Each structure stands twice: as C-alpha cells, then as structure tokens.
Amino acid sequence: MSQSPIQEPKTTVVKKQRRHSDSWSELWLRHHHPRHPHLKNNQQQALKNMVLKMHALRSVSSSTTPPSESDTEYVSGVGCGAVLPDYTCLLSDQLMLKILSKVPENQHVVNTLVCRRWSRLSGKLVHCIKLLDWEFLESGRLVYRFPNLVDVDIVRGSVRAVRNSGIVLSNRLVMVHLDSGFLGNGFLRKEYFLDVEVVDRGLKVLAEGCGNLRRLVAVNVSEEGLKFVGKECETLQELELHCVNDLALRGIGICRNLQILKVIGSVDGVYDTVITDIGLTILAQGCRRLVKLELVGCEGSFDGIKAVGQCCQMLEELTFCNHRMDDGWLPALSYCENLKTLKLQSCRSIDPNPGPYEHLFTCPTIEELYLQQCQLRDKQGMRALFVVCKSIRELTLDDCWGLDNNTFDAASICRGVRYLSLEGCSSLTTEGFESVVLSWKELRRLRVISCKNIKDSDASPALANLFSVLKELKWRPDSKSLLEASLAETGVGQIGRSFKMN
C-alpha cells in the first residue's frame, strides 16, 4: 500500500498595518474638545461642524474606494487639481480674529495672501507699519487694509528714492536709496522730498482712516498738516518730526494729549533745516503736557530752554543730540523744575562759556545723567554741567572723548551718586578714577568696561574695600584684566556677598 505524504499545516502571515498619524481633527473628535468658555453656542457649533467636515474630507481623499453618496455631501470632485471648499467660512469674523491673533506678528502679512477675507481680518491685527510707497497711502489702500494702525512711519515713503539704485544713505535716523544726483552741498536736496502739499494730503488720508493713531513719524510737514492730524487723532501721544522749521511747529498745539516729542532739525549729510529759539518757544507754549522731549541738531540759547522749562512743567526727560546751542544755555536747565533725566548724545561741546559759577543754580530733581559719544574736552562746560546736576544718583559716560582725570574730577561734587557706568573712556587713569569714586560714600553699583588706562595692578586697598560693599560690580577695563575672573567665584557684586583683596 502506498502511503500518502504528510501534509504540513499552512501558516498565514498577517501583515501588521501601519497606523497613520492622527490629524488634529481626529484628535479633537477623539477627546471631544471641551466647550471653550469664551465661545458662544453658535460659535462652538460652527467650530465643531468645520472639524467634522474637514475630517470627512480627509477620509474621502485618502480612501482608495469610490466615495459614497453621503460622502459627496461633504466634498465633490476630489481629485487632481480640484479646488477644495473653504470651511473657515463657517466661522464668524470674531472667532477668526481670535484664531489669527494667536499667530506670531511676523505671519500677519503672509496670512493676507490666503484670500480676501483673511486679508481683511489679518489687516485688523497690524498696528505698526513703515511706509515705503507713498501711492499706497495717498490712494487710501493703507487705511483700508490696516484700519487699526496706531504707529505709522512715513519718512522713507516721503523721499523720491530710486529703488534699483545701489547707493544707500544710511543714518540712525533714516535710510534711503539714492542716485548720484541726490546730494547737494552735502545734504539731500529739497526737490527729492515730496512737496509739502503732497505730504499734507497724505496725512489727511491717514488721519481720517486711523483715528486711534498714537505715534507718528513724518518729514517735511507743514502747520496745516499737523493741525489736521491733531484734530482727527485725539489719542496721539508720540510725535517725531524730521526736517521741519520753526513755523511748522505751530501746528503741534492742536495735539492736546501729546507726551513724547522728537524734533530733528539739522543732521550732517541728511537735513539742513534750522530750529531756533522761536521754534522752541512755540513748541513750549503748545505742548504743556510733554513728559519727554528730544532735540536733534537744534539751535537755540538760554531763552529757548528757559521757555521749555517754564511752560512744560511735567517734563521729566530731556535729550540733546548734536546740539548747536549758543554759549550760556546750560544755566537755563534750572527752570526745568521736574526734570529727572538729562541725556547728551553726539555733542561736540557742552557749553564753552556757561558764565560765572555763582550764577549757576542746581536742578535738584535731576537723578540721571547720560553722556554718550560726546567730546568732553570742554572742561569749563563739564564743571558747569556737574554743578547744575549736583543731585544726580546715576551717572553714565559711554564712549566719550577727552574725559581725562581733570575733567572727571569735576564729578566729585555729586556726592549722592549710587550708580556709575564707564565705557570706552580710554584717557581716564586709575588714579583719577579712584579719587572720585572713593569720595562717593553712597556708591552701590559700578560698571567699568574698555577703559584701558584703568589697571588692576594700580588698584589700591581702599578701592578693593569698596568692591566688597558693592551690590553690583562689572569690572572689565581691558582685555587683560584678571580681576573679573577672580571675582566670579567669590560672588562679589551680588547682594549678600563680599570680597576683599589684599
């Protein structure tokens, strides 16, 4: 008898299906997104319907079988090149604004390219803009696209710039593209700025469309343009004016809530306009609520600063940048009775002839004095400055030329200094530094950076004892200083720690 061969049992291999990653709509459906406390019932239902339809759309588009009749209710014509419906239309504008507001600000402009509705909604979230194309403002498209603007800079759009030019005039105040014929006598020619009438017309369009404007930066404006802005924009609080004259400042008086003002007159290589005592007096009488004032390239004298001090009684911060004041203007600071901060930036001199010292009065409210990139070779003016600012508590000297031992010694009259910052003062030596710092008994914070003639080896034991009681210390006078590394482990300069150097 023949035996039949033994048949082995068949084994079936079951392939494990790869589980696709869940989409955000599936996760929402699985966990049944809780009701948002800030959404109404109809908004909650609209959001739920949108998620359900997008989930159905994803399942139909990824399936290999033909869609059923019920599926076609959600989507029709899904295939190559088909246009899918926009289910965000189910959401109200209020809800879409809340969603788009969570997107980073640098994505708002990109969102405007999705569709007209997104362009309209995303434009409402833009609050700050710098104008480059004047036609965009004058045609009304700026205020239509961005109706909620609160900060607008129209300086670059007010210059007839050549976009394809390889020449760029760059200044910390303005940057424009130029050609070889833009400069005349070292400055931008007047004809390359838009006419005053054109600028005023654009300001009217801006003011009528953006009534909640809070900050405006403009150039070559007139009195009429400023008056119209002040009348329409009652919330305007900060104003920066480039290349204006004395008479144009008469329009500032309409801006009743103006608190911060920056006036830019003459700037080397850019503007050549003049602001005199007449403009300062007009400014002072029209802006009595000023809290912060910055004068760049402005001329004037004792009378102009006196008018500012007497009229602007709420003024707390005053800045002079590259000033062109006449001799004897410094004593007028005593009329600023509530001034707390005084800043001098890029000044070629302080006051070459401040007058007799017995006629100088101290301004007791000044607490902070900043000198940045100034030429301090004027020893008489520096002494007068420290007499007027005798009550300061914070002194900052940053990249100032000509600050030697004799000039710095005038600061010893300021006995109440609690914070001193020196940076880039290469003419000051350790001896001159110690003689002044040790006389300040209330000094608690010290910062010395890149002062190459202040040496660790020349430090006396008295200076080391001073370091032990400081609450904050940053000591790096030069790249070869070893004291910074040695103090790091001891904790000197931190509250509650001490260090003594023999």
Side-chain angles (χ1 to χ4, degrees):
M1 295 178 63
S2 62
Q3 298 180 355
S4 61
I6 300 175
Q7 296 181 354
E8 296 181 358
K10 296 182 180 180
T11 58
T12 59
V13 179
V14 179
K15 295 184 179 180
K16 187 177 180 180
Q17 296 180 354
R18 294 183 60 184
R19 184 166 178 260
H20 67 277
S21 58
D22 295 334
S23 63
W24 70 271
S25 59
E26 291 175 342
L27 292 174
W28 190 91
L29 289 171
R30 181 181 303 165
H31 297 285
H32 199 293
H33 192 277
R35 299 178 65 86
H36 198 280
H38 299 291
L39 298 181
K40 298 180 180 179
N41 293 333
N42 55 349
Q43 295 176 341
Q44 190 79 25
Q45 187 64 29
L47 180 62
K48 184 176 181 180
N49 292 339
M50 185 191 70
V51 175
L52 288 172
K53 289 189 177 184
M54 294 186 68
H55 176 65
L57 175 63
R58 184 179 185 277
S59 61
V60 171
S61 61
S62 60
S63 176
T64 57
T65 60
S68 61
E69 294 182 357
S70 60
D71 292 334
T72 57
E73 296 180 359
Y74 291 100
V75 60
S76 59
V78 176
C80 181
V83 178
L84 302 180
D86 181 14
Y87 291 111
T88 61
C89 296
L90 299 174
L91 303 180
S92 64
D93 289 351
Q94 183 181 2
L95 184 57
M96 279 298 300
L97 278 175
K98 290 183 178 180
I99 296 175
L100 294 175
S101 64
K102 305 299 181 181
V103 180
E105 293 184 1
N106 56 358
Q107 296 293 325
H108 289 168
V109 177
V110 179
N111 292 338
T112 60
L113 304 178
V114 176
C115 61
R116 291 184 178 181
R117 186 187 182 215
W118 282 40
S119 176
R120 176 173 54 85
L121 295 177
S122 298
K124 294 181 179 181
L125 300 175
V126 178
H127 302 293
C128 176
I129 196 169
K130 291 186 178 181
L131 182 67
L132 301 180
D133 185 4
W134 187 260
E135 178 64 23
F136 188 60
L137 168 62
E138 198 169 19
S139 63
R141 288 178 292 169
L142 176 67
V143 297
Y144 176 77
R145 288 277 302 276
F146 311 107
N148 296 331
L149 290 175
V150 297
D151 185 352
V152 179
D153 184 350
I154 64 172
V155 172
R156 295 183 64 179
S158 304
V159 181
R160 295 188 177 95
V162 182
R163 297 184 179 181
N164 298 327
S165 174
I167 304 175
V168 178
L169 175 61
S170 179
N171 188 284
R172 64 187 182 91
L173 301 174
V174 64
M175 183 184 70
V176 294
H177 290 266
L178 308 175
D179 60 17
S180 58
F182 263 57
L183 297 179
N185 298 325
F187 299 95
L188 285 176
R189 294 181 177 177
K190 281 288 186 181
E191 57 266 25
Y192 289 103
F193 289 101
L194 295 179
D195 296 336
V196 176
E197 295 77 11
V198 177
V199 176
D200 291 345
R201 190 164 58 247
L203 288 178
K204 290 182 180 180
V205 175
L206 179 64
E208 291 176 348
C210 302
N212 296 324
L213 202 64
R214 297 182 181 179
R215 181 177 182 269
L216 175 64
V217 183
V219 60
N220 198 27
V221 298
S222 67
E223 176 185 354
E224 289 74 16
L226 291 177
K227 284 183 177 180
F228 193 87
V229 172
K231 183 184 299 183
E232 297 292 331
C233 305
E234 297 181 356
T235 59
L236 187 65
Q237 298 179 354
E238 184 175 353
L239 185 61
E240 182 175 332
L241 300 177
H242 294 236
C243 193
V244 293
N245 53 29
D246 293 334
L247 299 180
L249 296 177
R250 292 186 298 185
I252 301 180
I254 306 298
C255 306
R256 302 183 182 278
N257 296 318
L258 193 64
Q259 297 181 1
I260 302 176
L261 176 61
K262 183 176 182 180
V263 180
I264 302 175
S266 179
V267 178
D268 293 340
V270 186
Y271 310 134
D272 60 348
T273 52
V274 178
I275 301 293
T276 63
D277 282 339
I278 299 176
L280 294 179
T281 305
I282 295 174
L283 180 154
Q285 294 178 351
C287 305
R288 296 180 179 270
R289 294 186 179 182
L290 278 185
V291 177
K292 181 179 178 181
L293 174 62
E294 184 173 353
L295 303 175
V296 181
C298 296
E299 299 180 3
S301 63
F302 177 90
D303 295 333
I305 304 301
K306 178 182 177 181
V308 172
Q310 290 179 335
C311 297
C312 305
Q313 298 183 0
M314 300 175 60
L315 188 64
E316 296 183 357
E317 181 175 330
L318 180 58
T319 302
F320 295 92
C321 182
N322 192 20
H323 76 79
R324 291 165 169 79
M325 297 290 175
D326 296 338
D327 296 351
W329 70 272
L330 195 57
L333 292 176
S334 60
Y335 289 92
C336 302
E337 297 180 353
N338 292 317
L339 189 62
K340 295 181 179 179
T341 303
L342 178 62
K343 296 182 179 181
L344 298 174
Q345 301 173 350
S346 304
C347 297
R348 299 174 183 176
S349 64
I350 305 300
D351 191 348
N353 187 15
Y357 289 108
E358 56 269 18
H359 294 165
L360 294 175
F361 297 97
T362 301
C363 187
T365 58
I366 297 181
E367 299 179 354
E368 302 175 7
L369 176 60
Y370 294 86
L371 296 172
Q372 183 180 10
Q373 297 180 353
C374 296
Q375 296 185 16
L376 305 182
R377 297 180 178 88
D378 177 19
K379 295 180 176 57
Q380 187 176 4
M382 285 297 298
R383 289 186 179 276
L385 177 63
F386 286 122
V387 169
V388 175
C389 304
K390 185 179 179 179
S391 303
I392 60 173
R393 295 181 177 272
E394 297 185 7
L395 176 60
T396 301
L397 300 170
D398 188 4
D399 290 333
C400 293
W401 300 281
L403 182 66
D404 54 13
N405 294 345
N406 294 332
T407 305
F408 189 63
D409 182 67
S412 60
I413 194 176
C414 307
R415 300 292 183 179
V417 175
R418 295 175 177 264
Y419 171 74
L420 173 64
S421 176
L422 294 175
E423 183 172 356
C425 302
S426 58
S427 300
L428 184 63
T429 64
T430 308
E431 180 182 0
F433 169 76
E434 278 192 10
S435 64
V436 176
V437 171
L438 295 178
S439 65
W440 292 340
K441 303 303 181 182
E442 299 184 11
L443 186 65
R444 293 295 179 268
R445 299 162 56 203
L446 179 62
R447 179 177 177 270
V448 180
I449 306 294
S450 301
C451 301
K452 62 180 183 180
N453 284 325
I454 299 179
K455 306 291 185 182
D456 296 344
S457 58
D458 298 336
S460 64
L463 185 61
N465 291 331
L466 175 63
F467 289 163
S468 65
V469 299
L470 293 178
K471 293 183 178 180
E472 179 182 343
L473 174 62
K474 189 170 185 180
W475 182 268
R476 196 168 63 247
D478 56 27
S479 59
K480 299 180 180 179
S481 177
L482 301 177
L483 184 59
E484 172 96 357
S486 62
L487 294 179
E489 299 179 356
T490 62
V492 66
Q494 302 177 5
I495 299 178
R497 302 292 183 88
S498 63
F499 171 82
K500 291 186 178 181
M501 181 175 63
N502 296 325

